[in-house]
Amino acid sequence: MTEPPPTAVEILSPRQGTEDIMKKFEAYFAAGVKSCWFVQPFTDTVPVFMPDGKIRVFHEQALTDPATGISLDLNEVF
């Protein structure tokens, strides 16, 4: 790839630690990704991480990514 994707999505599995995902997010941001979604199926929650360290948490509502404008109704996902 010549350009990184605008958004990366990681889904937490029962055997995966959050520390592993956070390390991946650091690498994604270093490569130029604009936002990272951390899908947590057990709590029906999606925190959206930004390169500047800000986090927006979405739960049972419409998710709108502040970096890309991508929108998704979480009621349809969970």
Side-chain angles (χ1 to χ4, degrees):
M1 292 181 77
T2 58
E3 287 186 36
T7 300
V9 178
E10 289 285 340
I11 301 171
L12 182 64
S13 71
R15 297 183 183 163
Q16 189 175 27
T18 58
E19 187 174 325
D20 294 334
I21 291 175
M22 301 316 292
K23 287 180 182 179
K24 286 182 181 182
F25 286 178
E26 289 176 16
Y28 296 156
F29 290 138
V33 171
K34 296 178 183 176
S35 65
C36 294
W37 297 11
F38 185 14
V39 180
Q40 300 172 4
F42 305 105
T43 60
D44 298 346
T45 304
V46 181
V48 176
F49 290 77
M50 309 302 292
D52 63 4
K54 291 184 180 178
I55 303 168
R56 295 209 39 212
V57 179
F58 297 88
H59 177 79
E60 295 182 355
Q61 63 195 37
L63 180 158
T64 300
D65 186 321
T68 64
I70 296 170
S71 292
L72 179 68
D73 184 352
L74 293 181
N75 290 314
E76 294 181 15
V77 174
F78 298 113

